[in-house]
């Protein structure tokens, strides 16, 4: 991938796509092709085909998707499976048939089934389906992996996939997400500003048994570019830090970074979530990539950015 390569980012207004576009621009890639949802509906097969035929991108990062909170996944199953399946099929097929050099598909840790044993190895990605409301999303993302696998190698075209763990951070303050890290950080910041002494968080039970990995957006986009440039196999690559924390530890790290001194309360009336969905990072490390940020450093960097953005908007931050 050269600085003048024609690079298309599908989903560039989203959390990952927006961060990736910013990074590629700041790294000097000068030929980035972007289309908003309004100007190119990825559900429209003909529009997607015409776009690829005309623009002929050489490299494609697939960062589009329809996703949200667990409530969204549970209540909008048909939208989740339909939109994700059709969009990715349209993009992957049209890209390969219009001579893309390489496509990188952003999969998801949701492809690892409920019965897979942690830490998840990439070879177990399509073994069974994750339950608990994630079925529609998991199946759509598994199909995306299989699409890439089947198109990989056609006429020398390359389709690779990565499987990121939970992503936190954003580069777009107007579209900040309400996923766990963002939600806790914003709540604590607000509580600190308002001098609130007790804070309820949406963590079930003690939060000590639910162990997760979180990757900072800056690290993830770095991994996407690294894999696009260096990785050519069709086995998907997990993108996650080795570091894993319980939700209780996560809350305390955020509390220290934000400097909130009040007392935290969890949803102790709700069942303890004993969720250990750790991804193996051995294969990723073998490819020569590692995250730069520890969880604390990533949250610190994200909070510094968040305060800067609030200041730009004229809000009081200390
Ligand atoms: N965020 C995570 O923690 C995470 C973790 C693992 C994997 N992933 C995967 O990474 C990818 C990106 O995730 P994200 O969190 O960045 O998602 P996001 O913030 O929800 O962004 C999704 C992007 O897709 C676009 N899009 C949706 N429907 C479209 C359509 N019909 N036509 C054109 N564009 C459309 C959205 O545009 P509009 O907003 O304008 O509709 C937006 O730019 C997804 O494939 C997701 O499965 C995410």
């Amino acid at each position: 991938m050269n600085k003048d390569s024609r690079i298309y980012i599908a989903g560039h207004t989203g959390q990952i796509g927006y961060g990736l576009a910013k990074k590629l621009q700041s790294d000097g890639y000068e030929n980035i092709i972007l289309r908003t949802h309004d100007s190119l509906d990825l559900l429209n097969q003909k529009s997607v085909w015409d776009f690829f035929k005309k623009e002929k991108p050489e490299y494609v990062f697939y960062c589009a998707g329809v996703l949200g909170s667990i409530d969204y996944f549970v209540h909008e199953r048909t939208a989740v499976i339909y939109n994700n399946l059709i969009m990715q099929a349209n993009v992957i097929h049209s890209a390969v048939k219009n001579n893309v050099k390489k496509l990188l598909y952003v999969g998801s840790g949701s492809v690892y089934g409920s019965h897979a044993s942690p830490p998840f190895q990439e070879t177990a990605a399509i073994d069974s389906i994750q339950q608990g409301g994630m079925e529609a999303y998991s199946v759509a993302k598994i199909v995306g992996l299989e699409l890439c696998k089947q198109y990989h190698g056609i006429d020398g075209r390359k389709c690779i996939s990565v499987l990121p763990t939970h992503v936190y951070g954003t580069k777009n303050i107007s579209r900040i997400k309400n996923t766990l890290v963002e939600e806790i950080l914003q709540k604590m910041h607000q509580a600190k500003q308002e001098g609130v002494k007790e804070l309820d968080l949406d963590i079930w039970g003690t939060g000590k048994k639910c162990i997760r990995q979180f990757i900072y957006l800056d690290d993830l986009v770095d991994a996407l570019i690294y894999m696009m440039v260096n990785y050519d196999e069709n086995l998907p690559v997990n993108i996650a830090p080795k570091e894993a924390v319980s939700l209780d530890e996560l809350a305390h790290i955020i509390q220290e970074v934000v400097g909130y001194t009040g007392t935290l309360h969890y949803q102790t009336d709700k069942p303890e979530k004993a969720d250990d969905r750790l991804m193996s990072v051995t294969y990723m490390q073998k490819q020569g990539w590692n995250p730069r940020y520890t969880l604390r450093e990533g949250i610190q960097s994200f909070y510094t950015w968040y305060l800067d953005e609030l200041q730009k908007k004229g809000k009081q931050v200390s």
Side-chain angles (χ1 to χ4, degrees):
M1 196 165 72
N2 301 318
K3 298 288 172 181
D4 62 350
S5 297
R6 296 174 62 70
I7 303 169
Y8 169 53
I9 304 172
H12 78 282
T13 58
Q15 181 186 20
I16 297 174
Y18 192 85
L20 176 65
K22 288 246 160 206
K23 170 77 174 145
L24 287 171
Q25 278 158 354
S26 77
D27 283 356
Y29 290 91
E30 57 203 30
N31 228 338
I32 301 172
I33 305 165
L34 306 172
R35 292 290 181 279
T36 60
H37 188 159
D38 283 348
S39 63
L40 177 62
D41 183 356
L42 299 177
L43 292 173
N44 186 319
Q45 187 182 25
K46 182 168 184 324
S47 307
V48 175
W49 178 267
D50 290 347
F51 163 76
F52 275 96
K53 198 166 176 208
K54 179 162 177 268
E55 298 295 338
K56 295 260 183 276
E58 297 166 276
Y59 295 87
V60 173
F61 288 91
Y62 183 85
C63 304
V66 166
L67 58 153
S69 62
I70 183 69
D71 276 354
Y72 182 81
F73 286 130
V74 170
H75 293 114
E76 301 295 336
R77 288 163 195 244
T78 52
V80 169
I81 193 160
Y82 178 81
N83 285 276
N84 285 298
L85 287 180
I86 302 299
M87 285 198 292
Q88 65 199 20
N90 286 343
V91 171
I92 295 169
H93 180 77
S94 298
V96 170
K97 294 295 175 182
N98 284 288
N99 300 341
V100 73
K101 285 186 178 150
K102 194 164 175 184
L103 176 145
L104 183 150
Y105 172 73
V106 181
S108 155
S110 70
V111 303
Y112 292 109
S114 289
H115 303 296
S117 329
F120 304 143
Q121 310 287 335
E122 285 82 349
T123 44
I126 306 185
D127 272 5
S128 59
I129 299 168
Q130 189 188 345
Q131 306 295 312
M134 295 296 290
E135 295 86 336
Y137 184 58
S138 307
V139 168
K141 300 307 284 185
I142 288 171
V143 173
L145 298 185
E146 192 61 20
L147 273 172
C148 282
K149 193 167 133 195
Q150 296 304 335
Y151 279 86
H152 188 69
I154 291 184
D155 300 330
R157 313 285 155 233
K158 292 173 186 163
C159 292
I160 60 165
S161 305
V162 296
L163 304 174
T165 187
H166 305 279
V167 184
Y168 67 94
T170 175
K171 299 290 165 204
N172 187 353
I173 191 79
S174 62
R175 287 190 49 157
I176 196 160
K177 278 195 174 159
N178 245 1
T179 40
L180 199 60
V181 173
E182 284 82 350
E183 188 182 302
I184 297 178
L185 185 137
Q186 290 184 93
K187 270 190 168 180
M188 285 188 186
H189 174 73
Q190 198 179 345
K192 181 183 155 192
Q193 295 296 106
E194 294 169 0
V196 174
K197 298 271 179 282
E198 317 235 328
L199 187 61
D200 289 328
L201 297 179
D202 191 18
I203 291 177
W204 291 19
T206 63
K208 289 185 196 300
K209 293 198 176 151
C210 189
I211 314 290
R212 296 213 180 139
Q213 290 148 305
F214 296 90
I215 186 134
Y216 186 40
L217 179 64
D218 291 33
D219 272 331
L220 176 63
V221 299
D222 189 60
L224 298 187
I225 298 169
Y226 181 88
M227 294 301 164
M228 181 63 108
V229 172
N230 297 295
Y231 185 71
D232 279 342
E233 307 300 316
N234 69 17
L235 187 66
V237 187
N238 290 338
I239 306 292
K242 198 164 194 287
E243 180 184 9
V245 293
S246 70
L247 299 191
D248 177 53
E249 286 168 318
L250 173 72
H252 284 96
I253 291 173
I254 300 175
Q255 183 174 28
E256 281 167 33
V257 168
V258 172
Y260 173 63
T261 51
T263 308
L264 305 182
H265 296 291
Y266 302 155
Q267 316 276 314
T268 43
D269 53 328
K270 299 247 175 75
E272 185 80 30
K273 267 196 194 162
D275 188 4
D276 173 2
R277 292 187 51 78
L278 300 186
M279 289 184 180
S280 163
V281 296
T282 311
Y283 188 61
M284 173 193 88
Q285 290 176 329
K286 219 172 127 194
Q287 303 316 313
W289 189 84
N290 269 299
R292 276 191 302 136
Y293 293 84
T294 63
L295 183 59
R296 185 180 299 270
E297 287 166 352
I299 289 171
Q300 181 64 67
S301 166
F302 176 41
Y303 188 51
T304 304
W305 173 88
Y306 179 72
L307 294 179
D308 280 352
E309 292 296 309
L310 290 186
Q311 212 152 28
K312 281 186 211 152
K313 284 177 127 191
K315 298 214 171 132
Q316 201 192 333
V317 293
S318 59

